[in-house]
Amino acid sequence: NKGDLLSCDRWAIKLFEKMGGQLAFISGKPVHEILHQLKGSMPAESVIACNGAVIYDGAQGEEVKSACVHEQEARVAIQDILLRFPSVGIEIVARGGGLYVVRSNLYVHENLKSCKVRYLLKSLDEIPRGWLQVILRGSEEQIRKIQEHTRRKYYGARNCICPQDANTCVILAQNARPERAFEELCMLKGVLPRNCVLLTDDQRDLPLAQKAGQTICSFDAPPEIQQTAGRHTLSALYGGGVGEYLYGMLKEYPDKV
């Protein structure tokens, strides 16, 4: 989530895949943002996107699993939030990769400009069914106040409202969880979770770390992740850390190259 991979990371990943390794990217972002971040040059076996709401098959170029929000409950939440915070930006990611902007603001505009993806301006009533994620964007203070406001409200039991970053929070299906999507992806690929390695520097990935066989984190990861990790990289993950770990694996298993 924190930036683009360096060329050394990309080369290490290509070598890793030639050895027969499988690679998956896990992110809270929608699929279109992840693919833009990878810039089309990074082979991705699979992508878990929208905080676990979507499993995307890179080889087939399509979603293979999705958990949609309960739309009526989401509408009630959106309408209540807009009454209290009329300047908040709202995007909705729908099944099949559709991106719809319900209300724009500076934060929505900047994100769309950086991702360079196609989108449609639509009212809530015009958006097709199959909502995967509702994205709320605003200033850090506004997002904090929205989270405080929604914690005191009840919109139903089938969705949840979660923080994404300082300027973003999202409405998701209650059963959309990265760790659940990870287990489903392992079943689809015929891989045991204990045979997987998680590379992360995000405290929110602790549930994933409990499922994976090994966790690798960067030297500057939060203490909770460092305590869980079996190894640490000397570089930040998006500063050569991915390549550092994978090159280490290549040296451990030279007969596999």
Side-chain angles (χ1 to χ4, degrees), residues 11 15 17 20 74 113-114 119 125 140 143 200 202 209 233 244 254:
W11 279 108
L15 287 172
E17 291 192 322
K113 186 171 71 171
S114 66
Y119 63 92
D125 294 332
E140 187 170 346
I143 294 300
T200 184
D202 194 330
T233 62
E244 178 186 328

Side-chain angles (χ1 to χ4, degrees), residues 119-136:
Y119 63 92
L120 294 172
L121 291 168
K122 295 281 187 180
S123 69
L124 283 178
D125 294 332
E126 295 176 307
I127 298 173
R129 302 196 57 153
W131 300 3
L132 297 171
Q133 183 172 239
V134 179
I135 306 171
L136 308 173

Side-chain angles (χ1 to χ4, degrees), residues 81 145-155 161:
I81 290 167
K145 288 182 177 179
I146 288 173
Q147 291 181 64
E148 290 174 354
H149 173 73
T150 56
R151 276 196 290 267
R152 298 191 296 267
K153 294 283 188 171
Y154 180 74
Y155 305 113
I161 300 177

Side-chain angles (χ1 to χ4, degrees), residues 154-169:
Y154 180 74
Y155 305 113
R158 285 170 281 194
N159 295 335
C160 59
I161 300 177
C162 309
Q164 177 94 337
D165 56 43
N167 300 112
T168 312
C169 61

Side-chain angles (χ1 to χ4, degrees), residues 36-211:
H36 173 74
Q37 185 176 353
L38 300 177
K39 295 182 177 177
S41 61
M42 176 60 61
E45 186 78 21
S46 303
V47 169
I48 294 175
C50 297
N51 294 286
V54 179
I55 300 176
Y56 176 84
D57 189 309
Q60 297 180 37
E62 63 182 16
E63 298 164 8
V64 293
K65 282 267 189 176
S66 59
C68 295
V69 303
H70 188 275
E71 290 173 28
Q72 185 55 41
E73 290 183 7
R75 288 172 187 271
V76 172
I78 291 168
Q79 289 164 356
D80 177 64
I81 290 167
L82 281 174
L83 282 174
R84 184 73 182 269
F85 307 95
S87 65
V88 69
I90 300 177
E91 303 164 44
I92 294 178
V93 181
R95 189 183 287 155
L99 177 64
Y100 302 91
V101 175
V102 177
R103 176 149 317 180
S104 188
N105 63 8
L106 175 64
Y107 300 91
V108 170
H109 174 73
E110 288 298 321
N111 183 70
L112 293 173
K113 186 171 71 171
S114 66
C115 291
K116 299 178 182 176
V117 294
R118 296 182 64 183
Y119 63 92
L120 294 172
L121 291 168
K122 295 281 187 180
S123 69
L124 283 178
D125 294 332
E126 295 176 307
I127 298 173
R129 302 196 57 153
W131 300 3
L132 297 171
Q133 183 172 239
V134 179
I135 306 171
L136 308 173
R137 299 191 193 274
S139 68
E140 187 170 346
E141 181 182 6
Q142 185 178 54
I143 294 300
R144 178 181 57 78
K145 288 182 177 179
I146 288 173
Q147 291 181 64
E148 290 174 354
H149 173 73
T150 56
R151 276 196 290 267
R152 298 191 296 267
K153 294 283 188 171
Y154 180 74
Y155 305 113
R158 285 170 281 194
N159 295 335
C160 59
I161 300 177
C162 309
Q164 177 94 337
D165 56 43
N167 300 112
T168 312
C169 61
V170 295
I171 301 174
L172 295 164
Q174 192 68 250
N175 64 342
R177 292 287 184 271
E179 61 272 20
R180 179 177 294 181
F182 168 64
E183 290 180 314
E184 291 178 347
L185 178 60
C186 287
M187 290 180 62
L188 288 169
K189 296 295 181 181
V191 177
L192 295 173
R194 67 171 179 266
N195 291 336
C196 297
V197 177
L198 173 69
L199 278 75
T200 184
D201 57 3
D202 194 330
Q203 183 177 338
R204 292 173 295 180
D205 287 337
L206 279 172
L208 279 167
Q210 293 168 356
K211 302 286 184 183

